[in-house]
Amino acid sequence: MDNMAKHYTLESGTLTYQMPKEVDHHVAKEMCQELDRLIEAYGIVELVLDFSKTEFMDSSGIGVVIGRSKTMRFRSGTIMVTGVGKRVDTILRSAGLYQLLQTK
C-alpha cells in the first residue's frame, strides 16, 4: 500500500476507508494496524469500508473485515461496506459477512 496517498476520510465520528485494489496477505496486516489506530485515535463510531476500487480479495481480506467488525461491536459502533462489486460481493456472501455488515 502506498503510505503517501491518503486513502481515508474522517467526518464527525465516521471513518471512510478506501480499500486497495487487491486485499490480500501482503496488505492485510498493515491495513488492520492502520484501521485500528485510526478508530482509536479519532473515536470512530461508524466505519465505512469502500470497496469501489477492489478487484481481488482473499481470506486475509475476510480477516480484516471480521476483525474490524469485532472492534466496532466492542465500541458499540457500526461497520458498513460500499462500492461492492460482483467479485467482492460473492466473497462477502460466501463468508457470511453480511450478517456482520450494513450496506451503504
Side-chain angles (χ1 to χ4, degrees):
M1 277 181 10
D2 179 10
N3 287 327
M4 300 303 288
K6 185 175 175 189
H7 40 269
Y8 63 88
T9 57
L10 296 163
E11 187 176 326
S12 62
T14 298
L15 168 64
T16 301
Y17 191 88
Q18 180 67 60
M19 300 296 280
K21 182 177 179 179
E22 295 186 358
V23 183
D24 58 18
H25 71 279
H26 296 293
V27 298
K29 183 178 178 182
E30 183 181 331
M31 283 177 46
C32 288
Q33 291 171 345
E34 182 178 32
L35 282 164
D36 290 345
R37 180 183 59 78
L38 291 167
I39 290 166
E40 184 65 32
Y42 295 101
I44 300 302
V45 294
E46 181 179 70
L47 173 62
V48 180
L49 301 177
D50 183 351
F51 283 95
S52 60
K53 295 182 180 175
T54 304
E55 297 176 4
F56 174 82
M57 185 170 87
D58 67 8
S59 60
S60 301
I62 293 169
V64 170
V65 174
I66 291 172
R68 282 355 84 209
S69 171
K70 289 178 181 177
T71 299
M72 294 309 294
R73 193 168 49 242
F74 177 75
R75 299 177 64 85
S76 298
T78 58
I79 181 169
M80 306 177 98
V81 292
T82 188
V84 176
K86 284 185 179 181
R87 282 182 161 170
V88 173
D89 178 64
T90 300
I91 292 164
L92 295 176
R93 281 189 194 288
S94 64
L97 294 182
Y98 282 117
Q99 297 172 28
L100 306 173
L101 306 168
Q102 296 178 23
T103 55
K104 187 170 183 174

